[in-house]
């Protein structure tokens, strides 16, 4: 476990991620509390892709792939899964901290205070955490999958960037609506009871499961 933490969270990654969320909370303006999650989700998605794109291919760049290939498949899968989990938990904690930093630096109006009968700030925070957990899982697994296919982390980062540009575009918003992977960002945030955006997160979970099921084949053929 300690070895996987050391591999998954080197100091340079932690430092870059901390700087990223601090700078984001300083420069990205929000005026109302429900805009905080909207500001953070797309940014954390691309950070997760960059952060996790080398989850497996670092074995190739570190010239350890030949030894790694001798390990039983179960051990390799457990190792990759553990690394992804460690990185996602770190990024989720970072997203939670970033939520607080936005309130510290931007001081948005509390929508829950203005509309206490229909809106709860605490519930909004926990909904945000749930949405972020799914978002981070999807983008980290997607980046790792593309990197495994091409045996190159730059393909993982580049492929993720292309998908990110597509899914954050106005075209995607019009075309996919609540089925967009960023459905939380594009939801009607002022209506607390509108959960149609969960369809997009359900699609993220299904795609994550499909990519994880594909992982043994990728490690066997491309490892």
């Amino acid at each position: 476990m300690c070895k996987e933490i050391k591999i998954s969270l080197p100091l340079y990654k932690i430092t870059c991620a901390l700087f990223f969320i601090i700078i984001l909370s300083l420069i990205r303006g929000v005026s109302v509390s429900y805009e905080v999650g909207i500001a953070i989700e797309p940014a954390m998605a691309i950070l997760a892709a960059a952060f996790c794109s080398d989850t497996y291919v670092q074995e190739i760049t570190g010239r350890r792939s030949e030894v790694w290939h001798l390990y039983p498949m179960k051990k390799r899968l457990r190792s990759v899964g553990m690394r992804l989990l460690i990185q996602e938990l770190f990024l989720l904690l970072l997203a939670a901290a970033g939520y607080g930093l936005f309130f510290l630096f931007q001081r948005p109006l509390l929508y829950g205070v203005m509309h206490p009968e229909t809106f709860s700030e605490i519930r909004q925070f926990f909904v945000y955490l749930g949405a972020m957990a799914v978002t981070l899982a999807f983008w980290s697994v997607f980046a790792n999958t593309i990197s495994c296919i091409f045996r190159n982390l730059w393909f993982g980062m580049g492929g993720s960037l292309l998908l990110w540009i597509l899914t954050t575009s106005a075209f995607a918003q019009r075309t996919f609506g609540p089925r967009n992977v960023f459905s939380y960002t594009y939801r009607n945030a002022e209506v607390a009871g509108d959960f149609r955006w969960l369809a997009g997160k359900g699609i993220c979970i299904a795609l994550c499961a499909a990519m994880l099921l594909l992982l043994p084949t990728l490690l066997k053929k491309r490892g």
Side-chain angles (χ1 to χ4, degrees):
M1 179 71 171
C2 291
K3 179 185 176 183
E4 299 299 349
I5 292 174
K6 186 177 179 181
I7 293 172
S8 305
L9 298 175
L11 183 59
Y12 79 90
K13 277 191 175 183
I14 295 173
T15 304
C16 290
L18 289 173
F19 271 108
F20 179 88
I21 197 66
I22 291 171
I23 291 170
L24 178 68
S25 61
L26 284 169
I27 66 173
R28 177 68 162 83
V30 295
S31 56
V32 187
S33 58
Y34 62 70
E35 294 177 350
V36 175
I38 294 172
I40 297 176
E41 188 192 23
M44 285 299 297
I46 201 65
L47 175 64
F51 204 86
C52 301
S53 58
D54 68 341
T55 300
Y56 168 68
V57 296
Q58 61 183 289
E59 299 296 332
I60 298 172
T61 56
R63 302 184 185 280
R64 300 187 297 268
S65 59
E66 291 183 4
V67 176
W68 172 275
H69 199 65
L70 298 175
Y71 292 157
M73 179 58 72
K74 203 173 274 190
K75 182 175 181 179
R76 284 186 274 168
L77 288 172
R78 185 167 61 247
S79 181
V80 172
M82 186 64 69
R83 291 177 192 180
L84 285 170
L85 179 61
I86 290 167
Q87 291 174 121
E88 184 181 349
L89 288 175
F90 170 76
L91 290 170
L92 187 60
L93 288 174
L94 190 68
Y99 195 90
L101 287 175
F102 266 86
F103 281 88
L104 177 65
F105 295 135
Q106 299 294 333
R107 301 187 182 279
L109 296 173
L110 297 177
Y111 195 76
V113 173
M114 295 186 289
H115 302 276
E117 67 285 350
T118 60
F119 202 89
S120 166
E121 293 292 342
I122 295 176
R123 182 176 64 183
Q124 176 182 248
F125 175 69
F126 283 108
V127 169
Y128 159 80
L129 281 184
M132 282 303 305
V134 175
T135 296
L136 293 171
F138 171 76
W139 288 94
S140 59
V141 172
F142 178 79
N144 179 64
T145 301
I146 300 300
S147 294
C148 284
I149 291 172
F150 293 98
R151 294 170 58 89
N152 189 304
L153 72 90
W154 296 109
F155 277 92
M157 293 172 66
S160 299
L161 180 60
L162 287 175
L163 180 63
W164 185 87
I165 291 171
L166 173 64
T167 51
T168 55
S169 67
F171 168 79
Q173 186 179 357
R174 291 193 306 269
T175 305
F176 302 115
R179 293 177 297 280
N180 192 339
V181 295
F182 286 119
S183 57
Y184 173 80
T185 294
Y186 296 121
R187 77 196 191 285
N188 185 353
E190 293 184 3
V191 181
D194 183 8
F195 289 104
R196 288 177 298 170
W197 59 271
L198 288 174
K201 296 307 168 190
I203 290 172
C204 284
I205 292 171
L207 291 173
C208 260
M211 288 185 285
L212 289 174
L213 288 173
L214 184 64
L215 188 58
T217 302
L218 291 176
L219 293 183
K220 184 176 180 181
K221 294 186 178 298
R222 304 296 293 165

